[in-house]
PDB file of all heavy atoms in Angstrom:
ATOM      1  N   PHE A 179     134.850 -85.889 -30.794  1.00  0.00           N
ATOM      2  CA  PHE A 179     134.614 -84.732 -31.655  1.00  0.00           C
ATOM      3  C   PHE A 179     134.195 -83.520 -30.820  1.00  0.00           C
ATOM      4  O   PHE A 179     134.724 -82.423 -30.995  1.00  0.00           O
ATOM      5  CB  PHE A 179     133.540 -85.053 -32.703  1.00  0.00           C
ATOM      6  CG  PHE A 179     133.097 -83.861 -33.484  1.00  0.00           C
ATOM      7  CD1 PHE A 179     133.883 -83.346 -34.500  1.00  0.00           C
ATOM      8  CD2 PHE A 179     131.894 -83.223 -33.190  1.00  0.00           C
ATOM      9  CE1 PHE A 179     133.490 -82.231 -35.218  1.00  0.00           C
ATOM     10  CE2 PHE A 179     131.489 -82.107 -33.894  1.00  0.00           C
ATOM     11  CZ  PHE A 179     132.286 -81.610 -34.912  1.00  0.00           C
ATOM     12  N   PHE A 191     133.848 -67.021 -29.841  1.00  0.00           N
ATOM     13  CA  PHE A 191     133.236 -67.379 -31.121  1.00  0.00           C
ATOM     14  C   PHE A 191     131.725 -67.289 -30.994  1.00  0.00           C
ATOM     15  O   PHE A 191     131.126 -67.778 -30.046  1.00  0.00           O
ATOM     16  CB  PHE A 191     133.629 -68.792 -31.549  1.00  0.00           C
ATOM     17  CG  PHE A 191     133.049 -69.174 -32.882  1.00  0.00           C
ATOM     18  CD1 PHE A 191     133.595 -68.682 -34.041  1.00  0.00           C
ATOM     19  CD2 PHE A 191     131.941 -69.998 -32.956  1.00  0.00           C
ATOM     20  CE1 PHE A 191     133.063 -69.023 -35.275  1.00  0.00           C
ATOM     21  CE2 PHE A 191     131.403 -70.335 -34.178  1.00  0.00           C
ATOM     22  CZ  PHE A 191     131.961 -69.845 -35.339  1.00  0.00           C
ATOM     23  N   GLY A 192     131.098 -66.633 -31.944  1.00  0.00           N
ATOM     24  CA  GLY A 192     129.653 -66.486 -31.939  1.00  0.00           C
ATOM     25  C   GLY A 192     129.174 -65.242 -31.221  1.00  0.00           C
ATOM     26  O   GLY A 192     127.982 -64.970 -31.192  1.00  0.00           O
ATOM     27  N   GLN A 203     139.498 -56.928 -31.236  1.00  0.00           N
ATOM     28  CA  GLN A 203     140.557 -56.391 -30.381  1.00  0.00           C
ATOM     29  C   GLN A 203     141.930 -56.822 -30.892  1.00  0.00           C
ATOM     30  O   GLN A 203     142.890 -56.048 -30.836  1.00  0.00           O
ATOM     31  CB  GLN A 203     140.382 -56.858 -28.926  1.00  0.00           C
ATOM     32  CG  GLN A 203     139.222 -56.222 -28.210  1.00  0.00           C
ATOM     33  CD  GLN A 203     137.901 -56.905 -28.524  1.00  0.00           C
ATOM     34  OE1 GLN A 203     137.878 -58.031 -28.991  1.00  0.00           O
ATOM     35  NE2 GLN A 203     136.812 -56.213 -28.276  1.00  0.00           N
ATOM     36  N   SER A 207     144.850 -54.136 -32.084  1.00  0.00           N
ATOM     37  CA  SER A 207     146.116 -54.037 -31.365  1.00  0.00           C
ATOM     38  C   SER A 207     147.344 -54.161 -32.271  1.00  0.00           C
ATOM     39  O   SER A 207     148.454 -53.923 -31.818  1.00  0.00           O
ATOM     40  CB  SER A 207     146.181 -55.113 -30.278  1.00  0.00           C
ATOM     41  OG  SER A 207     146.263 -56.402 -30.866  1.00  0.00           O
ATOM     42  N   VAL A 208     147.155 -54.501 -33.529  1.00  0.00           N
ATOM     43  CA  VAL A 208     148.279 -54.625 -34.464  1.00  0.00           C
ATOM     44  C   VAL A 208     148.788 -53.230 -34.813  1.00  0.00           C
ATOM     45  O   VAL A 208     148.017 -52.338 -35.185  1.00  0.00           O
ATOM     46  CB  VAL A 208     147.846 -55.378 -35.741  1.00  0.00           C
ATOM     47  CG1 VAL A 208     148.950 -55.370 -36.777  1.00  0.00           C
ATOM     48  CG2 VAL A 208     147.445 -56.798 -35.407  1.00  0.00           C
ATOM     49  N   GLU A 209     150.086 -53.035 -34.665  1.00  0.00           N
ATOM     50  CA  GLU A 209     150.693 -51.751 -34.991  1.00  0.00           C
ATOM     51  C   GLU A 209     150.717 -51.555 -36.503  1.00  0.00           C
ATOM     52  O   GLU A 209     151.190 -52.425 -37.237  1.00  0.00           O
ATOM     53  CB  GLU A 209     152.119 -51.678 -34.448  1.00  0.00           C
ATOM     54  CG  GLU A 209     152.200 -51.617 -32.947  1.00  0.00           C
ATOM     55  CD  GLU A 209     151.639 -50.326 -32.384  1.00  0.00           C
ATOM     56  OE1 GLU A 209     151.841 -49.261 -33.001  1.00  0.00           O
ATOM     57  OE2 GLU A 209     150.986 -50.394 -31.331  1.00  0.00           O
ATOM     58  N   VAL A 211     151.986 -50.417 -40.168  1.00  0.00           N
ATOM     59  CA  VAL A 211     153.311 -50.229 -40.756  1.00  0.00           C
ATOM     60  C   VAL A 211     153.223 -49.550 -42.123  1.00  0.00           C
ATOM     61  O   VAL A 211     154.236 -49.182 -42.680  1.00  0.00           O
ATOM     62  CB  VAL A 211     154.073 -51.575 -40.903  1.00  0.00           C
ATOM     63  CG1 VAL A 211     154.401 -52.169 -39.553  1.00  0.00           C
ATOM     64  CG2 VAL A 211     153.310 -52.553 -41.753  1.00  0.00           C
ATOM     65  N   GLU A 216     148.755 -39.941 -48.969  1.00  0.00           N
ATOM     66  CA  GLU A 216     148.619 -38.561 -48.489  1.00  0.00           C
ATOM     67  C   GLU A 216     149.699 -38.233 -47.457  1.00  0.00           C
ATOM     68  O   GLU A 216     150.199 -37.109 -47.412  1.00  0.00           O
ATOM     69  CB  GLU A 216     147.229 -38.334 -47.891  1.00  0.00           C
ATOM     70  CG  GLU A 216     146.109 -38.300 -48.916  1.00  0.00           C
ATOM     71  CD  GLU A 216     145.793 -39.658 -49.522  1.00  0.00           C
ATOM     72  OE1 GLU A 216     145.979 -40.687 -48.830  1.00  0.00           O
ATOM     73  OE2 GLU A 216     145.394 -39.694 -50.696  1.00  0.00           O
ATOM     74  N   GLU A 230     150.612 -36.695 -60.461  1.00  0.00           N
ATOM     75  CA  GLU A 230     149.210 -36.471 -60.793  1.00  0.00           C
ATOM     76  C   GLU A 230     148.948 -36.510 -62.287  1.00  0.00           C
ATOM     77  O   GLU A 230     147.858 -36.863 -62.719  1.00  0.00           O
ATOM     78  CB  GLU A 230     148.724 -35.151 -60.192  1.00  0.00           C
ATOM     79  CG  GLU A 230     148.449 -35.270 -58.706  1.00  0.00           C
ATOM     80  CD  GLU A 230     147.989 -33.967 -58.089  1.00  0.00           C
ATOM     81  OE1 GLU A 230     148.070 -32.908 -58.738  1.00  0.00           O
ATOM     82  OE2 GLU A 230     147.542 -34.026 -56.930  1.00  0.00           O
ATOM     83  N   HIS A 234     151.928 -43.446 -63.476  1.00  0.00           N
ATOM     84  CA  HIS A 234     152.002 -44.089 -62.167  1.00  0.00           C
ATOM     85  C   HIS A 234     151.112 -43.391 -61.137  1.00  0.00           C
ATOM     86  O   HIS A 234     151.193 -43.698 -59.948  1.00  0.00           O
ATOM     87  CB  HIS A 234     153.443 -44.114 -61.655  1.00  0.00           C
ATOM     88  CG  HIS A 234     154.317 -45.089 -62.381  1.00  0.00           C
ATOM     89  ND1 HIS A 234     155.678 -45.042 -62.301  1.00  0.00           N
ATOM     90  CD2 HIS A 234     154.028 -46.142 -63.183  1.00  0.00           C
ATOM     91  CE1 HIS A 234     156.199 -46.015 -63.037  1.00  0.00           C
ATOM     92  NE2 HIS A 234     155.217 -46.693 -63.570  1.00  0.00           N
ATOM     93  N   LEU A 237     149.089 -45.542 -58.689  1.00  0.00           N
ATOM     94  CA  LEU A 237     149.814 -46.497 -57.856  1.00  0.00           C
ATOM     95  C   LEU A 237     150.057 -45.916 -56.467  1.00  0.00           C
ATOM     96  O   LEU A 237     150.250 -44.722 -56.299  1.00  0.00           O
ATOM     97  CB  LEU A 237     151.167 -46.849 -58.484  1.00  0.00           C
ATOM     98  CG  LEU A 237     151.130 -47.533 -59.840  1.00  0.00           C
ATOM     99  CD1 LEU A 237     152.554 -47.817 -60.303  1.00  0.00           C
ATOM    100  CD2 LEU A 237     150.324 -48.795 -59.799  1.00  0.00           C
ATOM    101  N   CYS A 239     152.380 -45.382 -53.185  1.00  0.00           N
ATOM    102  CA  CYS A 239     153.822 -45.213 -52.972  1.00  0.00           C
ATOM    103  C   CYS A 239     154.460 -46.502 -52.448  1.00  0.00           C
ATOM    104  O   CYS A 239     155.603 -46.811 -52.756  1.00  0.00           O
ATOM    105  CB  CYS A 239     154.087 -44.082 -51.989  1.00  0.00           C
ATOM    106  SG  CYS A 239     153.391 -42.490 -52.483  1.00  0.00           S
ATOM    107  N   PRO A 245     156.530 -50.270 -46.968  1.00  0.00           N
ATOM    108  CA  PRO A 245     155.489 -49.819 -46.039  1.00  0.00           C
ATOM    109  C   PRO A 245     155.533 -48.335 -45.703  1.00  0.00           C
ATOM    110  O   PRO A 245     154.513 -47.686 -45.660  1.00  0.00           O
ATOM    111  CB  PRO A 245     155.735 -50.657 -44.787  1.00  0.00           C
ATOM    112  CG  PRO A 245     156.539 -51.810 -45.228  1.00  0.00           C
ATOM    113  CD  PRO A 245     157.307 -51.377 -46.429  1.00  0.00           C
ATOM    114  N   LEU A 247     155.809 -46.302 -43.103  1.00  0.00           N
ATOM    115  CA  LEU A 247     155.431 -45.619 -41.869  1.00  0.00           C
ATOM    116  C   LEU A 247     156.651 -45.305 -41.010  1.00  0.00           C
ATOM    117  O   LEU A 247     156.718 -44.245 -40.384  1.00  0.00           O
ATOM    118  CB  LEU A 247     154.421 -46.441 -41.071  1.00  0.00           C
ATOM    119  CG  LEU A 247     153.739 -45.702 -39.930  1.00  0.00           C
ATOM    120  CD1 LEU A 247     152.974 -44.497 -40.464  1.00  0.00           C
ATOM    121  CD2 LEU A 247     152.803 -46.613 -39.183  1.00  0.00           C
ATOM    122  N   ALA A 255     166.180 -40.470 -41.345  1.00  0.00           N
ATOM    123  CA  ALA A 255     166.887 -41.753 -41.460  1.00  0.00           C
ATOM    124  C   ALA A 255     166.717 -42.295 -42.882  1.00  0.00           C
ATOM    125  O   ALA A 255     165.740 -42.006 -43.556  1.00  0.00           O
ATOM    126  CB  ALA A 255     166.337 -42.752 -40.447  1.00  0.00           C
ATOM    127  N   LYS A 260     164.337 -47.644 -52.127  1.00  0.00           N
ATOM    128  CA  LYS A 260     164.489 -46.891 -53.368  1.00  0.00           C
ATOM    129  C   LYS A 260     164.987 -47.863 -54.435  1.00  0.00           C
ATOM    130  O   LYS A 260     166.097 -47.741 -54.937  1.00  0.00           O
ATOM    131  CB  LYS A 260     165.459 -45.729 -53.196  1.00  0.00           C
ATOM    132  CG  LYS A 260     164.936 -44.661 -52.259  1.00  0.00           C
ATOM    133  CD  LYS A 260     165.895 -43.517 -52.131  1.00  0.00           C
ATOM    134  CE  LYS A 260     165.363 -42.500 -51.157  1.00  0.00           C
ATOM    135  NZ  LYS A 260     166.307 -41.416 -50.919  1.00  0.00           N
ATOM    136  N   CYS A 267     161.857 -53.111 -61.695  1.00  0.00           N
ATOM    137  CA  CYS A 267     160.909 -52.489 -62.625  1.00  0.00           C
ATOM    138  C   CYS A 267     160.288 -53.542 -63.546  1.00  0.00           C
ATOM    139  O   CYS A 267     159.140 -53.419 -63.964  1.00  0.00           O
ATOM    140  CB  CYS A 267     161.597 -51.409 -63.441  1.00  0.00           C
ATOM    141  SG  CYS A 267     162.200 -50.027 -62.436  1.00  0.00           S
ATOM    142  N   VAL A 282     149.810 -51.561 -69.118  1.00  0.00           N
ATOM    143  CA  VAL A 282     151.196 -51.486 -68.681  1.00  0.00           C
ATOM    144  C   VAL A 282     152.117 -51.521 -69.893  1.00  0.00           C
ATOM    145  O   VAL A 282     152.044 -52.436 -70.708  1.00  0.00           O
ATOM    146  CB  VAL A 282     151.542 -52.663 -67.740  1.00  0.00           C
ATOM    147  CG1 VAL A 282     152.995 -52.618 -67.325  1.00  0.00           C
ATOM    148  CG2 VAL A 282     150.647 -52.650 -66.526  1.00  0.00           C
ATOM    149  N   VAL A 306     157.302 -40.776 -65.743  1.00  0.00           N
ATOM    150  CA  VAL A 306     157.942 -41.736 -66.648  1.00  0.00           C
ATOM    151  C   VAL A 306     158.199 -41.204 -68.049  1.00  0.00           C
ATOM    152  O   VAL A 306     159.077 -41.708 -68.743  1.00  0.00           O
ATOM    153  CB  VAL A 306     157.146 -43.069 -66.730  1.00  0.00           C
ATOM    154  CG1 VAL A 306     157.198 -43.784 -65.407  1.00  0.00           C
ATOM    155  CG2 VAL A 306     155.730 -42.836 -67.192  1.00  0.00           C
ATOM    156  N   GLN A 311     168.122 -38.748 -69.813  1.00  0.00           N
ATOM    157  CA  GLN A 311     169.317 -38.611 -70.650  1.00  0.00           C
ATOM    158  C   GLN A 311     168.939 -38.303 -72.058  1.00  0.00           C
ATOM    159  O   GLN A 311     167.972 -38.695 -72.582  1.00  0.00           O
ATOM    160  CB  GLN A 311     170.133 -39.891 -70.641  1.00  0.00           C
ATOM    161  CG  GLN A 311     170.874 -40.089 -69.374  1.00  0.00           C
ATOM    162  CD  GLN A 311     171.797 -41.307 -69.453  1.00  0.00           C
ATOM    163  OE1 GLN A 311     171.644 -42.163 -70.308  1.00  0.00           O
ATOM    164  NE2 GLN A 311     172.738 -41.362 -68.555  1.00  0.00           N
TER     165      GLN A 311
END
Side-chain angles (χ1 to χ4, degrees):
F179 171 77
F191 182 76
Q203 289 82 19
S207 68
V208 173
E209 291 293 322
V211 294
E216 289 72 30
E230 283 179 349
H234 288 164
L237 297 180
C239 303
L247 193 60
K260 293 181 182 176
C267 296
V282 178
V306 293
Q311 285 186 342

